[in-house]
Amino acid sequence: MKVHLKTLGCRLNEAELETWAQAFQKSGHQITKQAEAAHLIVINSCAVTQDAARKSRQLIRRIHRDNPQAKLVVSGCYATLNEDEAASLLGVDLIVSNKDKDQLVDKTLTELNMDSMPVLSTEPGEISLFTRGRQRAFVKVQDGCRYRCTFCIVTVARGEENSRPVQAVIDKINALHQQGITEVILTGVHLGGYGSDLGNNLSDLIKAILAETDIPRLRLGSLEPWELPDDFFELFRNPRLMPHLHLPLQSGSDTVLRRMARRCKTEEFSAIVNQLRAQIPHFNITTDIIVGFPGETEQEWQDSYNFIKQTGFGHIHIFTYSSREGTKAAGLPDQVNNEVKKQRSRQLHELAEEMKLKFFADNVGNEFPVLWEGYSEALTDDKQRVFGYTPNYLRVGCVIGNDVPVENRTINCMVTAVEEGYVVGELVM
């Protein structure tokens, strides 16, 4: 049976797709990138905003329209929060809520009567990873969140915190490494809360991975800037733990952060950033910012803008606030009008681009080990431009000969210039 997997939303959703891909393959089925060729299609939906929920509905309808013969399974946050609505959409054969995600493959094969005798080898080396030729894989280590930020619906959809045992994570990473994966990204809804239900913490997990696997590169996914263990910062002295963190700030105004029910004040955020940058040169901090949160005054916006500018980020994901039914923020007074939100969003996008280019420029003249991707651009009959990522997550473009093999290799590169969207590098062979 050919299975097509599709996701909307966060990296955690991607990690779950990879896990399902492995399980389908071990059951004897084949993963296909062509939805129109699939016998079964699984959609991991999103509901972080009203727009994400709308896109989830549109995707379900489009997938069914393009391949009406395929069985269609829908999981994820949209399907969990709006189960009856999702189930009523034309073509949907099965809904699997977030709490049952670990049994999605078994449920699908059993309830849709699609189980079959294995026809593919299940040896790790013989399974083509769902990571579609990429050199990195996402590994889900934690789900759920004990906090209730007032704008967030995901914690409602994902439920209580649940951590994957350390040994299970290590076994997964070792299996991925055997299959040629060079870099692993740990993901979770509240990654910093890892181990709260197991009696350990994120630092313990990272130490175990570094000690008991040979994976060359380990990254952390989005990490809330609180509850970081005391020894967390020291871990980055190990060159296998990549010097890049995505720390969602959400606002640079402490009064807005209080209305959001965030657990990190701007002063505490600055302390984290300063400690990381003092320890590791060119440590890359990226973040999320919500523009136009209910009640955001002009003064609060200016305070936020100034703090963001003062901190400096390598990249910002900018979200214009949209009311989400089921969240506390939806009922807050003084909703900001759309024109003001658009104006502030434009202003922040301009600042974010300036900061990104400055971070690019600050790295010019430095040499980094770069993990090169499979993607390349043909330039001439004998030249190509290849792309890869530095440890601090700079995208590097480098012109090399067509006969130079670099894919999935880590080769040093000198950063020489800045282009739109990436830095230019020269291989150091």
Side-chain angles (χ1 to χ4, degrees):
M1 181 174 67
K2 291 183 178 179
V3 181
H4 178 73
L5 304 172
K6 196 84 173 174
T7 186
L8 286 168
C10 61
R11 284 181 168 181
L12 187 61
N13 272 10
E14 283 208 43
E16 288 164 346
L17 247 63
E18 293 179 4
T19 299
W20 296 338
Q22 295 277 321
F24 275 120
Q25 287 171 319
K26 286 181 179 178
S27 296
H29 306 291
Q30 179 183 348
I31 304 300
T32 178
K33 293 180 182 179
Q34 282 75 46
E36 63 277 6
H39 305 108
L40 169 68
I41 298 172
V42 180
I43 296 175
N44 207 5
S45 64
C46 180
V48 67
T49 63
Q50 295 282 33
D51 190 50
R54 179 181 59 79
K55 288 180 178 177
S56 293
R57 289 191 295 272
Q58 288 177 338
L59 177 63
I60 293 166
R61 292 186 181 109
R62 178 172 58 79
I63 287 285
H64 175 64
R65 184 179 65 244
D66 293 346
N67 186 351
Q69 276 72 47
K71 294 285 188 181
L72 184 55
V73 176
V74 183
S75 188
C77 291
Y78 165 71
T80 300
L81 293 168
N82 306 275
E83 184 169 354
D84 290 343
E85 179 181 285
S88 69
L89 293 174
L90 192 63
V92 174
D93 294 287
L94 178 66
I95 298 292
V96 180
S97 69
N98 282 340
K99 66 181 176 63
D100 294 326
K101 271 186 166 180
D102 290 346
Q103 288 82 46
L104 181 138
V105 173
D106 288 340
K107 277 179 164 292
T108 298
L109 297 178
T110 302
E111 296 187 25
L112 298 184
N113 196 27
M114 302 186 81
D115 214 347
S116 66
M117 292 295 291
V119 294
L120 299 176
S121 168
T122 56
E123 289 301 312
E126 297 299 318
I127 298 176
S128 60
L129 274 180
F130 179 69
T131 44
R132 71 235 160 253
R134 291 186 313 188
Q135 287 62 51
R136 60 184 53 85
F138 300 105
V139 174
K140 176 182 170 183
V141 302
Q142 185 273 345
D143 206 342
C145 182
R146 77 185 84 119
Y147 298 109
R148 294 294 182 265
C149 297
T150 59
F151 56 82
C152 186
I153 195 71
V154 174
T155 53
V156 179
R158 289 277 180 175
E160 295 303 311
E161 290 187 13
N162 178 29
S163 304
R164 196 172 183 179
V166 172
Q167 191 58 52
V169 175
I170 287 169
D171 292 345
K172 175 71 173 177
I173 292 174
N174 280 329
L176 288 166
H177 191 203
Q178 288 176 6
Q179 295 172 47
I181 289 294
T182 308
E183 180 177 291
V184 157
I185 299 130
L186 305 183
T187 67
V189 170
H190 176 38
L191 187 59
Y194 175 86
S196 63
D197 54 329
L198 298 178
N200 52 17
N201 61 37
L202 182 60
S203 287
D204 297 330
L205 175 65
I206 293 169
K207 288 175 188 173
I209 293 169
L210 293 173
E212 299 179 44
T213 79
D214 293 321
I215 196 75
R217 289 186 171 209
L218 180 65
R219 288 192 189 275
L220 303 180
S222 185
L223 184 67
E224 298 295 352
W226 61 77
E227 289 189 331
L228 300 178
D230 292 339
D231 59 350
F232 175 75
F233 300 97
E234 295 296 317
L235 298 173
F236 288 93
R237 296 192 187 281
N238 189 316
R240 290 167 61 203
L241 183 60
M242 300 292 98
H244 164 235
L245 283 179
H246 187 80
L247 303 173
L249 173 63
Q250 306 301 4
S251 174
S253 163
D254 283 326
T255 49
V256 174
L257 290 172
R258 277 201 297 274
R259 291 201 296 279
M260 290 178 169
R262 300 288 287 167
R263 268 78 182 165
C264 185
K265 297 178 181 176
T266 54
E267 183 180 352
E268 296 161 340
F269 191 92
S270 288
I272 293 171
V273 170
N274 292 338
Q275 189 168 351
L276 291 166
R277 287 175 174 164
Q279 187 167 301
I280 306 287
H282 307 295
F283 199 107
N284 189 5
I285 306 290
T286 56
T287 196
D288 296 340
I289 299 291
I290 296 174
V291 173
F293 190 75
E296 184 181 65
T297 65
E298 187 59 35
Q299 185 58 56
E300 286 174 330
W301 165 244
Q302 284 304 317
D303 290 345
S304 184
Y305 181 90
N306 292 338
F307 179 79
I308 293 164
K309 185 175 183 178
Q310 164 199 318
T311 304
F313 293 98
H315 183 75
I316 303 178
H317 291 150
I318 299 168
F319 301 93
T320 300
Y321 176 78
S322 63
S323 180
R324 186 67 178 87
E325 185 182 347
T327 64
K328 187 175 180 180
L332 290 177
D334 303 319
Q335 299 282 327
V336 179
N337 76 59
N338 287 334
E339 280 308 309
V340 172
K341 287 193 281 193
K342 286 179 184 176
Q343 177 191 345
R344 292 175 183 175
S345 179
R346 283 194 298 268
Q347 192 179 355
L348 189 55
H349 272 96
E350 289 174 6
L351 176 62
E353 186 63 19
E354 288 175 18
M355 290 191 297
K356 182 168 76 170
L357 291 175
K358 182 183 183 303
F359 186 68
F360 280 2
D362 288 346
N363 283 270
V364 171
N366 290 296
E367 184 177 322
F368 296 101
V370 174
L371 174 58
W372 298 98
E373 307 279 308
Y375 174 76
S376 65
E377 294 176 351
L379 300 176
T380 65
D381 288 343
D382 58 351
K383 294 287 185 183
Q384 61 177 331
R385 180 179 287 110
V386 293
F387 293 91
Y389 284 89
T390 64
N392 64 347
Y393 211 59
L394 285 175
R395 189 169 188 247
V396 184
C398 185
V399 177
I400 61 173
N402 289 338
D403 58 344
V404 180
V406 296
E407 182 178 354
N408 206 17
R409 295 176 62 192
T410 299
I411 303 172
N412 277 21
C413 177
M414 178 67 72
V415 176
T416 59
V418 176
E419 282 285 349
E420 187 176 349
Y422 66 94
V423 295
V424 179
E426 293 179 1
L427 289 188
V428 179
M429 303 293 281

